[in-house]
Amino acid sequence: MSKGIISSFNAFKEMFGDSEFFKEDSPRMNALSSYFERGGVISVSKKDKGWPKLIYPSIARIREQKKELEGIKKKFEEKKSNWEKKKKDAENYHAVHNLKKLTSPLYWKHKAKCLTDKEYKNDADLVKLPAHLVSDPKWTPMVKMFVNDIEYRKQLTETVENSVVYKDNKKVARYADELQDFRKDVSSKEITLLIKKLESTDALLAALSLLESWAKE
């Protein structure tokens, strides 16, 4: 006799709590509980002995659900991989650009001017020119203008010296540090979230596999 739709572990317990199989701490029981927690529903037919027969979900439906979950899991894994790359890029940002700067003629022009032009060096020190980031397209135009255009350099120096924005910390490149810290923080949070989603997905896949074996009985 079919027991209709059962949508919670408590409802299942009310129907079969007195059965011998219910007293066993079996993986199937844990899987069923996990399946209900994630919104699953079942329909069963009572047997004279042992576990009832699983009517719904059918084997075909369980396999369909597993296939859907595998697709979701793959997307979670791809997103996790992308965020891990972003985090690694942020962690290695300064090390990478400290190496790349050595191949930049603009960087060496800046260094030469620091050695030969005291006024230039004072301006570069005051604004904390991020010359070490010269290979980053985000900073290349600013460094290039600072090195080659004295009017731009003096305007930037005056802005850093007098602006309220730079009052507590006169560092033009401070944004670069804060941006990488922000990227690392966001990446870490996203990775943690995706790990939890993957763990939940794996748990549901394991539960469905146990339900599939039950459906075959």
Side-chain angles (χ1 to χ4, degrees):
M1 177 179 174
S2 175
K3 291 293 181 178
I5 298 298
I6 304 171
S7 59
S8 72
F9 193 77
N10 284 337
F12 185 76
K13 184 177 180 180
E14 285 180 11
M15 294 179 183
F16 300 102
D18 295 332
S19 302
E20 285 298 319
F21 77 85
F22 202 91
K23 299 171 185 177
E24 302 172 5
D25 185 20
S26 67
R28 183 183 294 178
M29 194 72 73
N30 295 330
L32 185 57
S33 177
S34 178
Y35 183 69
F36 281 134
E37 285 176 2
R38 290 164 175 79
V41 297
I42 66 169
S43 177
V44 297
S45 177
K46 190 173 182 180
K47 294 194 297 187
D48 293 336
K49 190 175 181 180
W51 280 76
K53 180 173 179 57
L54 185 63
I55 306 299
Y56 181 87
S58 64
I59 293 175
R61 176 54 184 154
I62 291 171
R63 289 176 178 172
E64 183 182 342
Q65 288 177 305
K66 287 173 70 176
K67 186 176 180 180
E68 290 171 357
L69 273 178
E70 289 290 355
I72 292 171
K73 179 181 177 180
K74 185 178 180 181
K75 289 180 180 179
F76 285 157
E77 288 173 335
E78 289 172 351
K79 287 182 179 180
K80 179 172 171 283
S81 179
N82 288 336
W83 281 111
E84 285 172 339
K85 183 182 183 304
K86 288 179 181 180
K87 183 182 179 184
K88 187 175 181 180
D89 288 346
E91 289 172 341
N92 296 334
Y93 177 81
H94 286 291
V96 168
H97 285 288
N98 270 318
L99 286 174
K100 284 186 175 182
K101 73 183 181 184
L102 301 178
T103 64
S104 169
L106 183 58
Y107 174 74
W108 292 112
K109 186 174 182 179
H110 157 74
K111 295 298 287 183
K113 292 192 74 168
C114 284
L115 292 173
T116 58
D117 188 334
K118 185 176 180 181
E119 184 179 351
Y120 174 89
K121 184 179 186 305
N122 288 339
D123 289 342
D125 289 343
L126 189 147
V127 302
K128 302 297 182 187
L129 183 72
H132 63 294
L133 302 179
V134 68
S135 62
D136 185 341
K138 185 186 294 292
W139 293 100
T140 302
M142 192 200 81
V143 176
K144 186 175 182 179
M145 289 285 287
F146 190 92
V147 172
N148 296 320
D149 189 332
I150 188 171
E151 185 176 341
Y152 172 83
R153 170 162 50 97
K154 287 302 180 182
Q155 184 177 3
L156 180 61
T157 302
E158 183 180 354
T159 299
V160 171
E161 196 168 23
N162 300 318
S163 174
V164 175
V165 176
Y166 298 96
K167 183 178 180 181
D168 296 326
N169 195 332
K170 296 177 180 179
K171 289 185 179 180
V172 172
R174 185 183 182 189
Y175 171 73
D177 296 328
E178 292 177 344
L179 179 60
Q180 301 315 313
D181 288 341
F182 173 75
R183 285 175 175 169
K184 284 185 282 186
D185 184 55
V186 171
S187 297
S188 294
K189 289 178 179 177
E190 290 293 335
I191 291 167
T192 298
L193 180 61
L194 286 163
I195 287 173
K196 290 180 179 178
K197 288 182 177 181
L198 282 167
E199 288 174 347
S200 178
T201 303
D202 283 337
L204 186 51
L205 280 169
L208 285 170
S209 292
L210 288 169
L211 290 182
E212 184 179 358
S213 67
W214 179 15
K216 292 176 181 178
E217 295 179 356

